[in-house]
Amino acid sequence: QPAATTADGKWSANLANIPAGGLYRLETRFRPDGHAAGEWAPRGDMRHFLGVGDLWIIAGQSNSAGYGRSPVFDPPELGVHVFRNSEQWALAAHPMNESTDTKHPCNREAANSAHSPYLAFARLLKQQLGHPIGLIQASLGGSPLSAWNPTQPGTPVLFDNMMHCLELVGGRARGVLWYQGESDTGGEKLKDAFTYEERFIKAVRAWRDAMKNPELAVITVQLNRMFGAANADADTGWDVVREAQRQVARKLNGVAVAPTFDLSLADGIHISSPANLLLAERLARAALGMVHGRPVDWKAPDLKAAKRSADAKEVELTFDNVTSRMECIDPTANAFRVEDADGVVPVEKVVYSQSSSVKLALARPLKGKAVVHGAHGFNPAMVPMDMERFMPMLGFRGAAVE
């Protein structure tokens, strides 16, 4: 393709209509007036490993930065690349958020990060879509939502850094991969938890405005469990943030949420390397279904309704997005909490009926208004799953019992 050359010898060209794919090689050649064209024209410089595909931003806190410590086979692959903190493209390899030659220490980890779900996520997308995937690393362990939300008071340093990195690679992204919320489960009187839904909606809208993309995809991860001493405030905070994550995916188009309750941990709070591979598949299926319109069952079982029986001694929970039946691998597990006008109502048994419904047998009849919480607390018991896909339900809080 000819390049326009000005009188001072400078040249430029816009390469259009390059098919999605690669990896490509870009060659330049010098063609003086009257010189024969073709492969023997005087040489110019080259650039290698250019891909035409999708860019995804890695944002959030430590489970996005990746702290899976156990060995796992999750190798690099040509066509899956990462824009590192050095502000250079490289073949994607773990850890993503490492800080060698960093140009922006604002997202430098205090310790070396390790394994995250996003290399496997990108590799699965590349296999299905047939074109390269680029990852833009911007996450930071321990970061609160306020650092990513330009609508909150203060300096949203991680939002600014995310936009800076995006501009360096062309200013456009297919979507944001978001795993965050642990740092917002507490705060003064649980203020951060109870305002999370409103603040995250504002953050997503701000990202879309800043990226000039009202349909920017945001694939989120609902909080997994945390190991530690029993704490009523922690139980409440984790319940509230999980419900916020569930509701944002319902209220905003182009936002997906993936469940995690079956995923093993590498320590008290970080998802293990093997579990990251399973999470990667869920995230990739969400991208294929929501973003690319592929016919895949990617949505997690989600509470549709809660209804009390005629004698008020049973609550039936009905779920959407169930391909076979709701059941639990531990039939004795109880991940639910029921409350009514007199307080907590003990759940004597969780009953499964080979359907999309689950029944809670209560120790006493319900009195007055009642609500139910699912996957209650910061370390809930094993939850029911869609057994055909082995997909756990999403956690929920405060669902009214009809």
Side-chain angles (χ1 to χ4, degrees):
Q1 174 175 319
T5 306
T6 57
D8 60 3
K10 294 181 178 179
W11 60 271
S12 64
N14 179 38
L15 303 181
N17 301 317
I18 301 175
L23 299 171
Y24 293 112
R25 179 178 72 251
L26 176 65
E27 299 184 3
T28 61
R29 303 171 185 167
F30 179 50
R31 184 182 175 187
D33 289 342
H35 193 285
E39 69 277 14
W40 294 110
R43 59 156 296 279
D45 289 342
M46 296 185 187
R47 292 292 182 265
H48 296 270
F49 312 127
L50 301 179
V52 178
D54 294 338
L55 298 181
W56 286 87
I57 299 170
I58 299 172
Q61 55 183 113
S62 55
N63 275 310
S64 262
Y67 273 77
R69 297 294 183 186
S70 50
V72 71
F73 185 72
D74 189 18
E77 181 173 312
L78 286 173
V80 178
H81 298 255
V82 62
F83 191 69
R84 290 203 174 273
N85 294 318
S86 61
E87 298 184 352
Q88 297 291 324
W89 281 106
L91 192 65
H94 300 292
M96 299 289 188
N97 195 29
E98 60 100 352
S99 299
T100 304
D101 299 324
T102 185
K103 296 293 193 297
H104 32 80
C106 65
N107 72 324
R108 175 185 285 153
E109 300 290 334
N112 286 334
S113 56
H115 187 272
S116 77
Y118 302 122
L119 172 52
F121 161 85
R123 187 169 56 241
L124 289 167
L125 282 191
K126 174 178 174 284
Q127 290 171 0
Q128 292 295 316
L129 300 173
H131 58 240
I133 303 294
L135 300 168
I136 304 166
Q137 161 49 41
S139 60
L140 174 64
S143 56
L145 176 56
S146 58
W148 299 91
N149 184 5
T151 71
Q152 285 189 240
T155 303
V157 60
L158 296 178
F159 166 80
D160 292 341
N161 182 63
M162 175 175 70
M163 293 306 302
H164 165 75
C165 292
L166 182 61
E167 289 303 315
L168 290 177
V169 298
R172 297 177 63 186
R174 175 66 79 171
V176 175
L177 299 164
W178 177 256
Y179 194 157
Q180 193 278 336
E182 296 94 336
S183 292
D184 289 78
T185 56
E188 183 183 354
K189 297 181 180 179
L190 299 176
K191 178 180 65 176
D192 291 341
F194 281 103
T195 60
Y196 190 90
E197 179 182 331
E198 176 187 2
R199 292 185 295 122
F200 188 51
I201 287 175
K202 289 181 177 179
V204 171
R205 288 172 174 164
W207 300 346
R208 289 173 169 175
D209 288 344
M211 299 181 199
K212 298 180 176 60
N213 182 0
E215 298 180 353
L216 177 78
V218 180
I219 300 181
T220 69
V221 182
Q222 194 176 51
L223 295 186
N224 197 353
R225 65 187 70 249
M226 176 184 72
F227 298 141
N231 183 306
D233 280 349
D235 281 341
T236 300
W238 285 64
D239 277 8
V240 170
V241 172
R242 288 191 190 114
E243 175 66 11
Q245 294 168 326
R246 171 177 174 258
Q247 290 298 332
V248 172
R250 289 172 159 226
K251 293 178 180 180
L252 290 183
N253 290 331
V255 177
V257 58
T260 56
F261 295 120
D262 59 329
L263 301 183
S264 63
L265 299 183
D267 51 35
I269 199 169
H270 298 118
I271 292 180
S272 70
S273 304
N276 272 327
L277 297 183
L278 179 54
L279 178 57
E281 183 172 350
R282 289 177 185 163
L283 300 177
R285 291 176 70 85
L288 291 169
M290 183 180 74
V291 179
H292 295 280
R294 298 292 180 90
V296 293
D297 291 323
W298 60 271
K299 294 182 178 180
D302 192 7
L303 183 69
K304 179 180 180 181
K307 186 176 181 178
R308 71 186 74 193
S309 61
D311 62 3
K313 289 194 67 175
E314 189 175 79
V315 174
E316 182 177 26
L317 307 175
T318 304
F319 291 85
D320 283 327
N321 311 320
V322 180
T323 60
S324 61
R325 70 187 193 281
M326 292 297 289
E327 200 162 321
C328 184
I329 59 173
D330 179 1
T332 67
N334 172 27
F336 301 96
R337 178 184 175 97
V338 178
E339 301 170 2
D340 68 0
D342 286 352
V344 176
V345 185
V347 177
E348 290 189 330
K349 187 177 182 181
V350 182
V351 181
Y352 299 100
S353 57
Q354 301 293 305
S355 69
S356 60
S357 295
V358 175
K359 294 181 179 180
L360 309 179
L362 307 178
R364 63 171 176 81
L366 294 172
K367 294 182 180 179
K369 293 182 179 180
V371 297
V372 58
H373 315 305
H376 170 64
F378 64 86
N379 184 17
M382 183 62 68
V383 304
M385 302 182 178
D386 176 7
M387 297 304 290
E388 181 76 17
R389 299 178 294 153
F390 209 70
M391 177 81 82
M393 71 175 201
L394 294 172
F396 58 89
R397 172 182 168 82
V401 180
E402 300 170 10

